[in-house]
Each structure stands twice: as structure tokens, then as C-alpha cells.
Amino acid sequence: MSFLLDYCTFQELTPELVEECENFTCQKDKDIEQFFLNEYAEYAKQLLGKSYCFVKDEDSKRKIACAFTVANSSIKVDNLPNKKRNKLNRKIPHAKRRSQYPAVLVGQLAVFDEFKGLHIGDEVMDFIKAWFIDPLNKTGCRYIIVDAVNHEKVIDYYNNNGFNFIFSSDQEEIKYMTHSADKISFWRKIQYSIFPHKNPNNIFRKTRLMFFDLIVLYSKA
């Protein structure tokens, strides 16, 4: 039994839908709550990302159980350490290897407070994975990537859902991202923060890049 598929409907998140549904909260992450209340529409308007949600119908008023935002992205293998680049390329037929591979970025993902404890986080990730190997998907997409908050519970969630780190450590990620041949934008640079006593080199990233290889599921479909 799936709570989302059995009891909810999948819809694009729109201002009209938010107005129609009961207010939702995410007490542990007010920033993500504010994103899905006030910012998602501007991202869609600027063609930077699209937000979707699962809605549970109630007798009185509809309720949004969870929401997520996706955007086009890629993994640039030429910017990776040799060991990681070789590991990714080994899974691609030689004739199809490229300097970068298409990916979808899950930029925001939230399960709202009223629906905590129902394993919805795992269900929505399974849905996203299935969505991007569906035959109706109009473009190729090899990977799902996330810039996961560098917190044990968040990292555990993605690990349990089959995601792996793109870089082996905070230090390696900072080194390769800040010295990449492609100059990263300012908004990415400000995510690199140094806090004492977090690791032997006193370097700690607020977020960690992680990926899931969709070919694992596509080969079984």
C-alpha cells in the first residue's frame, strides 16, 4: 500500500492550489516552508524549476502532503576527480561517453508536518525515480542529483534511497567545485563555509552533492 498513490492526487503546485488547500507547515525547516508558500511560483515563471505536490482530499478542505521542485541539470564528469570520473564512465558504453551527462536536480523536497511518520519521503523519492524513467519522459535523464543539507539525518535519508556522494569528502568537493574549469556562480560559492572542529582539516560544507543512477531502475523496467 502506498499512501501517496492510494490516497492522494499528483498535481503541479500553483497559487490557486495553495489557496484552495489548508495551510501547511514545516517546523523543522522554515526556509523550505517559505519556499513552497511564496517562492516556487517565481522559479516557475523564470523557467528555473517546476514544483509539484501530492494532495489529500478531505471532507472539509484539501491538504498538501508533500511537495518537490525539479530542474534540468547535468553531471560534468570532466570536473570530477579521476577515480570518480572513471567509475561513472565505466557504466556508459564507450561510444556514448561524454564530458557531461543529463540529470534532473531535485532542488527542494518537503513532507509537511501533518503527514510526518508515514514514510512519505521514501514514497515521493520512489515516485520521482519512476517518473524519469517513464517512457513518456520527453528527454533523456541519466541521473538524479541533490545538493543535500550536510546533516546526518538528511544524508541518511538519501543514502537509504540509493544516493551516493559525487565527491568523497567536504574538502574534495570544495577543491573541485571552487577550482573547476567552469567558474561557479556566486550563489554557489557562498555555500562553502568553514566551521572549526567539524573534521581534521576544519572544513565543513553546508551541503553535499549526491547522485542516483537511474540506469539501475531502467534496466529492470
Side-chain angles (χ1 to χ4, degrees), residues 15-56:
E16 295 76 17
L17 180 61
V18 172
E19 180 68 25
E20 177 187 343
C21 293
E22 286 188 6
N23 293 335
F24 52 79
T25 60
C26 192
Q27 292 297 331
K28 289 186 178 181
D29 194 333
K30 301 305 287 185
D31 287 341
I32 203 168
E33 176 186 303
Q34 287 304 306
F35 177 85
F36 285 119
L37 282 172
N38 303 312
E39 300 173 31
Y40 70 93
E42 185 62 20
Y43 272 72
K45 181 179 179 181
Q46 296 299 325
L47 304 180
L48 298 175
K50 293 275 286 186
S51 294
Y52 299 89
C53 63
F54 281 90
V55 181
K56 187 174 188 298

Side-chain angles (χ1 to χ4, degrees), residues 44-201:
K45 181 179 179 181
Q46 296 299 325
L47 304 180
L48 298 175
K50 293 275 286 186
S51 294
Y52 299 89
C53 63
F54 281 90
V55 181
K56 187 174 188 298
D57 292 314
E58 299 284 358
D59 292 336
S60 56
K61 199 169 187 180
R62 307 176 77 197
K63 299 178 180 180
I64 298 177
C66 62
F68 64 89
T69 302
V70 289
N72 293 326
S73 190
S74 66
I75 292 182
K76 297 179 174 64
V77 291
D78 284 356
N79 296 340
L80 299 181
N82 289 338
K83 185 176 180 180
K84 179 64 71 173
R85 179 170 66 247
N86 293 337
K87 185 176 181 179
L88 289 177
N89 276 333
R90 274 199 300 271
K91 297 181 179 181
I92 309 289
H94 190 273
K96 304 297 182 184
R97 291 178 185 174
R98 308 177 184 179
S99 61
Q100 60 181 345
Y101 297 114
V104 59
L105 170 69
V106 179
Q108 304 283 356
L109 189 155
V111 176
F112 298 115
D113 291 337
E114 185 175 345
F115 297 90
K116 299 286 188 182
L118 299 174
H119 304 290
I120 288 176
D122 293 335
E123 285 192 25
V124 73
M125 186 55 67
D126 287 342
F127 174 85
I128 293 170
K129 291 173 183 176
W131 198 22
F132 282 97
I133 62 169
D134 189 287
L136 295 178
N137 182 26
K138 294 180 174 60
T139 62
C141 178
R142 177 63 187 249
Y143 298 101
I144 297 175
I145 57 176
V146 295
D147 211 7
V149 175
N150 199 355
H151 183 279
E152 183 177 4
K153 287 188 176 180
V154 177
I155 298 300
D156 284 347
Y157 164 73
Y158 285 109
N159 278 332
N160 291 337
N161 280 279
F163 282 75
N164 296 295
F165 290 117
I166 292 180
F167 298 94
S168 61
S169 67
D170 297 67
Q171 300 97 309
E172 185 178 77
E173 186 162 344
I174 291 171
K175 173 185 175 182
Y176 279 88
M177 292 301 292
T178 55
H179 294 88
S180 168
D182 296 334
K183 299 298 183 181
I184 61 173
S185 60
F186 178 73
W187 76 267
R188 288 282 295 177
K189 286 182 180 179
I190 64 175
Q191 294 180 347
Y192 307 140
S193 299
I194 298 177
F195 300 97
H197 314 305
K198 290 294 185 180
N199 58 45
N201 292 321

